[in-house]
Amino acid sequence: MNDNLKNQEAEELSLREMIEQYTRYWYFFVIGVLIALVLAFLYLRYTPQLYQSKATIIIKDEKTQSPLEMAAFSQFGSFLSRFKTNQIDNELAIFNSKRLISETVKELQLNIKYEVMGNIKTSELYGYRPFEVKFQSFDESFVDPIPVLYFKMLSESEFHLESEPLNISTNYSFGEQISLPFGVITVLPNLDDAEKFRGYKNKTILVSYNSVETVALRFQERVNILNTDAKSNVVELSIQTQNREKGEDFLNELVRQYNKDAVQDRNEIAKKTSAFIESRLQIITRELDSVETNKEDFKSTNRLTDIQAEAQITLENASEFNKRQLDVSTQMELSNTMIDYMKNADRDELLPANIGISNESVGSAVNNYNELILYRNKLLQTSTPKNPVVKSVNDQIAQMRSSILESLENSKNALRIAMKDLNMQENIISSKISQVPAKEKIFRGIERQQTIKEQLYLFLLQQREEASIALAATADRAKIVDSAYGPQEPVSPKKSLIYLGALLAGLLVPFGGIYSFNLLNTKVKGRKDVERHLKSIPIIGEIPKVQKGDSDLIKHNDQSIMAEAYRIFRTNLQYLFINKLEKNEEGKSLIVTSTIKGEGKTFVAFNLALTLALTGKKVVLVGADIRNPQLQRYLPEHLKAKKGLTEYIVYEDLQVADVVAQSEYNENLNIIVSGAIPPNPAELLMQKRTSTLVEELRKQYDYIILDTAPAMLVTDTILINKLADITLYVVRADYTDRRLLDFAKDAIEDGRLTNVAMVLNNVALNNFGYGNKYGYAYSREERSLLKRILNKQ
């Protein structure tokens, strides 16, 4: 149960420490969020906003073919089915064609861009413009890009034009023709709204000209045309532009240009049909005039008045037969006419439609043939005859033309057989009316020819009127469901997402920085790092980092954080001596060492000596680091050359008093410097005189502190460790690598270092366990608000 509680507490401490790694730098997160939000604001302020405009249309179906027609043309039914399936895709391709978009750009003059210059960015002018630049003429041979023209309105009649590439900076009058290297322009003022016009005075307005093709390609990349439902003909058009009104105008004009293009295609068929009917009417009119003249001459010559009254009874029985014979003759005439036209006409021309041929399959095939011709012509506008798609369509056209001719020939042969049968029946009827005079027979033939020509003439007149009506009343191909519209709010950039992203970035960047720093930083940061590696070794002192401008030595009546830390260090040391030495009345010896150079062992040793001396105890500080002496920097200049530990060991006639120097910082503190640097430091420290010195010092002083060499670099400290009651092992925060603590752990476990206690030096105040962190200190110094926020001394 106790083990579970300990594990739970350890996990809670580990989680709390992890959180504290970031919360102690909370001001970085606040600053990061503020900077990110400011950057987001500036980004939103100066990034062009994009508005989305949408339009919805329905593409109308062509006249649906009946099952009978489809059965009649089953030989190319697969193509017709594929053509019907791909109809919407073809129309979408037309919508997104460069040709149609170029017409839209040209109609709206989108290739001429007007912008007003601001303090930081320029904004496009669309809708109201204070003036309009008319390009009266343009030199197509001008190769260089058209430079931007800078206009500034001076008054309602005058403006200033400037262009550095063209070396122009001149005042002009509105309406004046201006000759430029690329052409002639005229600037016309827009005075419809005088107040708006005056608002643009003295503002710089940029006018840039681009080719229609270049602008069309840009719009072609941005416009999105989508068939929302494969089962329907509903098409949605959308585009994103910096100006919502511009996007709406573009989509509406694109639909209008599409309808205009579709109407032109249908009118072309109607015009071809009308021309064919007119040519046939002229022929039929001449033939009808000839028949009527023959009838008149026949009656005049033979003095006939009402021959039919004589054969009324016989003719009534044959009336139904005559009607059939008349219909067959008419159809034969139309079939022959259509065949002659197809043989004589160019293969790329459209065929006349709806001329009265009773064979409905032929009429349907002609309509499909004309649609295929138009489709081929549109492909040729954007490709060459060598294009595989164009070749495929040409093959299909040839196939359909051959099929139509074959169907007409078959229809003509069927009519010829029917006529032959009718002629046989006519002979039978003629035998029954043999009593009718020969003149009646001749007259009847003339009337029959007249009737045929009259019916054909009336039929062609009717078809001409229908073609004229179709030409005048051609409906739009695209029915507008919703005209172009768009929301008032821009679709990009989205403020909420930008601010949310900025907020997350403002938090994540400091978090990532701190995480990366902690991940890559292998230095000891605080007490917890030492405790994790050396769990059984006590930490009896935490020495705060010396702040800039503060003294690094403990003074009499010192009330600083450092002085209080050394007092706590001294108290913990006293309790450690009680546990270790019990009632030993002799002086207590300490060794101060570290792992490597630079961890502050001399600094800690000297301040510890001062702190102990402040209690009235006699303290001696021995410079046992005879390889790299550092203790002499705490002595006055005249004592730095005094004999020290090295001389005492070498010269046996020297006494303790000969090497002891009085410290100027405290009367209870004496110092024995290292002396001259010997060639054999390790062997020298192994001499008996070293232990003799410590024994002598125990009799004269309450505390003997030996400042030794780094334990990992040299063996000196290991050799004299037995002379110390306590070994103080100094670790410097933000300097000592955590991996070096493994050396101290191994040395303690192996017994090379005994009675070890850890001292953590150079601890930052935000990692410091005492003093101002909890608002309790002797110091009364006033700190600035920023220092109090950042918890800095």
Side-chain angles (χ1 to χ4, degrees), residues 242-259:
Q242 295 182 20
N243 187 288
R244 183 169 56 88
E245 184 181 355
K246 182 177 181 179
E248 293 175 359
D249 289 347
F250 174 81
L251 293 182
N252 289 331
E253 182 62 26
L254 183 62
V255 174
R256 195 183 75 81
Q257 290 293 334
Y258 171 80
N259 282 329

Side-chain angles (χ1 to χ4, degrees), residues 428-444:
I428 296 173
I429 295 175
S430 297
S431 65
K432 292 181 180 180
I433 57 173
S434 58
Q435 299 88 349
V436 180
K439 293 181 180 180
E440 177 64 22
K441 291 182 181 179
I442 297 173
F443 185 76
R444 178 174 172 76

